[in-house]
mmCIF file with all atom_site columns, all heavy atoms in Angstrom:
data_model
loop_
_atom_site.group_PDB
_atom_site.id
_atom_site.type_symbol
_atom_site.label_atom_id
_atom_site.label_alt_id
_atom_site.label_comp_id
_atom_site.label_asym_id
_atom_site.label_entity_id
_atom_site.label_seq_id
_atom_site.pdbx_PDB_ins_code
_atom_site.Cartn_x
_atom_site.Cartn_y
_atom_site.Cartn_z
_atom_site.occupancy
_atom_site.B_iso_or_equiv
_atom_site.pdbx_formal_charge
_atom_site.auth_seq_id
_atom_site.auth_comp_id
_atom_site.auth_asym_id
_atom_site.auth_atom_id
_atom_site.pdbx_PDB_model_num
ATOM   1  N  N   . HIS A 1 144 ? 122.902 112.343 113.758 1.00 95.00 ? 161 HIS A N   1
ATOM   2  C  CA  . HIS A 1 144 ? 123.004 111.243 114.712 1.00 95.00 ? 161 HIS A CA  1
ATOM   3  C  C   . HIS A 1 144 ? 123.654 110.015 114.062 1.00 95.00 ? 161 HIS A C   1
ATOM   4  O  O   . HIS A 1 144 ? 124.579 109.421 114.613 1.00 95.00 ? 161 HIS A O   1
ATOM   5  C  CB  . HIS A 1 144 ? 121.601 110.884 115.233 1.00 95.00 ? 161 HIS A CB  1
ATOM   6  C  CG  . HIS A 1 144 ? 121.605 109.785 116.239 1.00 95.00 ? 161 HIS A CG  1
ATOM   7  N  ND1 . HIS A 1 144 ? 121.497 110.017 117.593 1.00 95.00 ? 161 HIS A ND1 1
ATOM   8  C  CD2 . HIS A 1 144 ? 121.740 108.440 116.101 1.00 95.00 ? 161 HIS A CD2 1
ATOM   9  C  CE1 . HIS A 1 144 ? 121.566 108.862 118.228 1.00 95.00 ? 161 HIS A CE1 1
ATOM   10 N  NE2 . HIS A 1 144 ? 121.693 107.893 117.349 1.00 95.00 ? 161 HIS A NE2 1
ATOM   11 N  N   . CYS A 1 283 ? 122.951 110.100 126.276 1.00 92.00 ? 300 CYS A N   1
ATOM   12 C  CA  . CYS A 1 283 ? 121.546 109.651 126.223 1.00 92.00 ? 300 CYS A CA  1
ATOM   13 C  C   . CYS A 1 283 ? 121.467 108.231 126.803 1.00 92.00 ? 300 CYS A C   1
ATOM   14 O  O   . CYS A 1 283 ? 122.244 107.358 126.405 1.00 92.00 ? 300 CYS A O   1
ATOM   15 C  CB  . CYS A 1 283 ? 121.094 109.660 124.764 1.00 92.00 ? 300 CYS A CB  1
ATOM   16 S  SG  . CYS A 1 283 ? 119.578 108.745 124.464 1.00 92.00 ? 300 CYS A SG  1
ATOM   17 N  N   . PRO A 1 284 ? 120.534 107.976 127.726 1.00 94.00 ? 301 PRO A N   1
ATOM   18 C  CA  . PRO A 1 284 ? 120.464 106.639 128.336 1.00 94.00 ? 301 PRO A CA  1
ATOM   19 C  C   . PRO A 1 284 ? 120.106 105.537 127.338 1.00 94.00 ? 301 PRO A C   1
ATOM   20 O  O   . PRO A 1 284 ? 120.426 104.367 127.545 1.00 94.00 ? 301 PRO A O   1
ATOM   21 C  CB  . PRO A 1 284 ? 119.369 106.781 129.402 1.00 94.00 ? 301 PRO A CB  1
ATOM   22 C  CG  . PRO A 1 284 ? 118.709 108.085 129.182 1.00 94.00 ? 301 PRO A CG  1
ATOM   23 C  CD  . PRO A 1 284 ? 119.591 108.929 128.304 1.00 94.00 ? 301 PRO A CD  1
ATOM   24 N  N   . THR A 1 285 ? 119.468 105.890 126.213 1.00 95.00 ? 302 THR A N   1
ATOM   25 C  CA  . THR A 1 285 ? 119.069 104.862 125.251 1.00 95.00 ? 302 THR A CA  1
ATOM   26 C  C   . THR A 1 285 ? 120.167 104.563 124.223 1.00 95.00 ? 302 THR A C   1
ATOM   27 O  O   . THR A 1 285 ? 120.493 103.408 123.969 1.00 95.00 ? 302 THR A O   1
ATOM   28 C  CB  . THR A 1 285 ? 117.766 105.283 124.538 1.00 95.00 ? 302 THR A CB  1
ATOM   29 O  OG1 . THR A 1 285 ? 116.758 105.446 125.530 1.00 95.00 ? 302 THR A OG1 1
ATOM   30 C  CG2 . THR A 1 285 ? 117.322 104.261 123.511 1.00 95.00 ? 302 THR A CG2 1
ATOM   31 N  N   . CYS A 1 286 ? 120.749 105.630 123.617 1.00 92.00 ? 303 CYS A N   1
ATOM   32 C  CA  . CYS A 1 286 ? 121.712 105.380 122.542 1.00 92.00 ? 303 CYS A CA  1
ATOM   33 C  C   . CYS A 1 286 ? 123.147 105.725 122.926 1.00 92.00 ? 303 CYS A C   1
ATOM   34 O  O   . CYS A 1 286 ? 124.076 105.360 122.213 1.00 92.00 ? 303 CYS A O   1
ATOM   35 C  CB  . CYS A 1 286 ? 121.325 106.160 121.290 1.00 92.00 ? 303 CYS A CB  1
ATOM   36 S  SG  . CYS A 1 286 ? 121.576 107.932 121.484 1.00 92.00 ? 303 CYS A SG  1
ATOM   37 N  N   . GLY A 1 287 ? 123.328 106.457 124.000 1.00 89.00 ? 304 GLY A N   1
ATOM   38 C  CA  . GLY A 1 287 ? 124.684 106.785 124.453 1.00 89.00 ? 304 GLY A CA  1
ATOM   39 C  C   . GLY A 1 287 ? 125.272 108.035 123.832 1.00 89.00 ? 304 GLY A C   1
ATOM   40 O  O   . GLY A 1 287 ? 126.364 108.461 124.193 1.00 89.00 ? 304 GLY A O   1
ATOM   41 N  N   . GLN A 1 288 ? 124.562 108.653 122.861 1.00 88.00 ? 305 GLN A N   1
ATOM   42 C  CA  . GLN A 1 288 ? 125.132 109.848 122.226 1.00 88.00 ? 305 GLN A CA  1
ATOM   43 C  C   . GLN A 1 288 ? 124.902 111.104 123.067 1.00 88.00 ? 305 GLN A C   1
ATOM   44 O  O   . GLN A 1 288 ? 123.995 111.148 123.906 1.00 88.00 ? 305 GLN A O   1
ATOM   45 C  CB  . GLN A 1 288 ? 124.526 110.027 120.838 1.00 88.00 ? 305 GLN A CB  1
ATOM   46 C  CG  . GLN A 1 288 ? 125.128 109.068 119.837 1.00 88.00 ? 305 GLN A CG  1
ATOM   47 C  CD  . GLN A 1 288 ? 125.114 109.614 118.419 1.00 88.00 ? 305 GLN A CD  1
ATOM   48 O  OE1 . GLN A 1 288 ? 125.158 110.820 118.194 1.00 88.00 ? 305 GLN A OE1 1
ATOM   49 N  NE2 . GLN A 1 288 ? 125.051 108.727 117.462 1.00 88.00 ? 305 GLN A NE2 1
ATOM   50 N  N   . ASP A 1 295 ? 116.321 110.976 127.413 1.00 95.00 ? 312 ASP A N   1
ATOM   51 C  CA  . ASP A 1 295 ? 116.653 110.590 126.040 1.00 95.00 ? 312 ASP A CA  1
ATOM   52 C  C   . ASP A 1 295 ? 116.969 111.785 125.138 1.00 95.00 ? 312 ASP A C   1
ATOM   53 O  O   . ASP A 1 295 ? 116.395 112.868 125.298 1.00 95.00 ? 312 ASP A O   1
ATOM   54 C  CB  . ASP A 1 295 ? 115.471 109.818 125.426 1.00 95.00 ? 312 ASP A CB  1
ATOM   55 C  CG  . ASP A 1 295 ? 115.544 108.340 125.771 1.00 95.00 ? 312 ASP A CG  1
ATOM   56 O  OD1 . ASP A 1 295 ? 116.447 107.948 126.529 1.00 95.00 ? 312 ASP A OD1 1
ATOM   57 O  OD2 . ASP A 1 295 ? 114.685 107.583 125.276 1.00 95.00 ? 312 ASP A OD2 1
ATOM   58 N  N   . CYS A 1 296 ? 117.848 111.548 124.148 1.00 94.00 ? 313 CYS A N   1
ATOM   59 C  CA  . CYS A 1 296 ? 118.167 112.583 123.162 1.00 94.00 ? 313 CYS A CA  1
ATOM   60 C  C   . CYS A 1 296 ? 116.964 112.760 122.218 1.00 94.00 ? 313 CYS A C   1
ATOM   61 O  O   . CYS A 1 296 ? 116.059 111.910 122.169 1.00 94.00 ? 313 CYS A O   1
ATOM   62 C  CB  . CYS A 1 296 ? 119.419 112.206 122.372 1.00 94.00 ? 313 CYS A CB  1
ATOM   63 S  SG  . CYS A 1 296 ? 119.189 110.828 121.231 1.00 94.00 ? 313 CYS A SG  1
ATOM   64 N  N   . THR A 1 297 ? 116.979 113.840 121.451 1.00 94.00 ? 314 THR A N   1
ATOM   65 C  CA  . THR A 1 297 ? 115.848 114.140 120.565 1.00 94.00 ? 314 THR A CA  1
ATOM   66 C  C   . THR A 1 297 ? 115.675 113.060 119.505 1.00 94.00 ? 314 THR A C   1
ATOM   67 O  O   . THR A 1 297 ? 114.560 112.724 119.113 1.00 94.00 ? 314 THR A O   1
ATOM   68 C  CB  . THR A 1 297 ? 116.050 115.524 119.910 1.00 94.00 ? 314 THR A CB  1
ATOM   69 O  OG1 . THR A 1 297 ? 116.400 116.449 120.945 1.00 94.00 ? 314 THR A OG1 1
ATOM   70 C  CG2 . THR A 1 297 ? 114.800 116.004 119.212 1.00 94.00 ? 314 THR A CG2 1
ATOM   71 N  N   . PHE A 1 298 ? 116.782 112.491 119.044 1.00 95.00 ? 315 PHE A N   1
ATOM   72 C  CA  . PHE A 1 298 ? 116.722 111.436 118.033 1.00 95.00 ? 315 PHE A CA  1
ATOM   73 C  C   . PHE A 1 298 ? 115.951 110.230 118.572 1.00 95.00 ? 315 PHE A C   1
ATOM   74 O  O   . PHE A 1 298 ? 115.048 109.706 117.917 1.00 95.00 ? 315 PHE A O   1
ATOM   75 C  CB  . PHE A 1 298 ? 118.155 111.041 117.645 1.00 95.00 ? 315 PHE A CB  1
ATOM   76 C  CG  . PHE A 1 298 ? 118.246 109.961 116.608 1.00 95.00 ? 315 PHE A CG  1
ATOM   77 C  CD1 . PHE A 1 298 ? 118.141 110.261 115.258 1.00 95.00 ? 315 PHE A CD1 1
ATOM   78 C  CD2 . PHE A 1 298 ? 118.448 108.634 116.966 1.00 95.00 ? 315 PHE A CD2 1
ATOM   79 C  CE1 . PHE A 1 298 ? 118.240 109.267 114.297 1.00 95.00 ? 315 PHE A CE1 1
ATOM   80 C  CE2 . PHE A 1 298 ? 118.549 107.635 116.012 1.00 95.00 ? 315 PHE A CE2 1
ATOM   81 C  CZ  . PHE A 1 298 ? 118.443 107.958 114.673 1.00 95.00 ? 315 PHE A CZ  1
ATOM   82 N  N   . CYS A 1 299 ? 116.294 109.786 119.773 1.00 96.00 ? 316 CYS A N   1
ATOM   83 C  CA  . CYS A 1 299 ? 115.610 108.617 120.361 1.00 96.00 ? 316 CYS A CA  1
ATOM   84 C  C   . CYS A 1 299 ? 114.142 108.939 120.638 1.00 96.00 ? 316 CYS A C   1
ATOM   85 O  O   . CYS A 1 299 ? 113.266 108.096 120.423 1.00 96.00 ? 316 CYS A O   1
ATOM   86 C  CB  . CYS A 1 299 ? 116.316 108.176 121.639 1.00 96.00 ? 316 CYS A CB  1
ATOM   87 S  SG  . CYS A 1 299 ? 117.898 107.382 121.302 1.00 96.00 ? 316 CYS A SG  1
ATOM   88 N  N   . ARG A 1 300 ? 113.867 110.160 121.102 1.00 95.00 ? 317 ARG A N   1
ATOM   89 C  CA  . ARG A 1 300 ? 112.462 110.546 121.355 1.00 95.00 ? 317 ARG A CA  1
ATOM   90 C  C   . ARG A 1 300 ? 111.663 110.524 120.053 1.00 95.00 ? 317 ARG A C   1
ATOM   91 O  O   . ARG A 1 300 ? 110.513 110.116 120.024 1.00 95.00 ? 317 ARG A O   1
ATOM   92 C  CB  . ARG A 1 300 ? 112.393 111.962 121.935 1.00 95.00 ? 317 ARG A CB  1
ATOM   93 C  CG  . ARG A 1 300 ? 112.853 112.015 123.366 1.00 95.00 ? 317 ARG A CG  1
ATOM   94 C  CD  . ARG A 1 300 ? 112.774 113.421 123.901 1.00 95.00 ? 317 ARG A CD  1
ATOM   95 N  NE  . ARG A 1 300 ? 113.492 113.480 125.160 1.00 95.00 ? 317 ARG A NE  1
ATOM   96 C  CZ  . ARG A 1 300 ? 113.469 114.492 125.989 1.00 95.00 ? 317 ARG A CZ  1
ATOM   97 N  NH1 . ARG A 1 300 ? 112.761 115.560 125.712 1.00 95.00 ? 317 ARG A NH1 1
ATOM   98 N  NH2 . ARG A 1 300 ? 114.139 114.469 127.111 1.00 95.00 ? 317 ARG A NH2 1
HETATM 99 ZN ZN1 . ZN  B 2 .   ? 119.552 108.752 122.125 1.00 77.81 ? 18  ZN  B ZN1 1
#
Side-chain angles (χ1 to χ4, degrees):
H161 181 101
C300 165
T302 300
C303 71
Q305 283 209 29
D312 274 4
C313 70
T314 312
F315 180 83
C316 288
R317 287 180 192 190

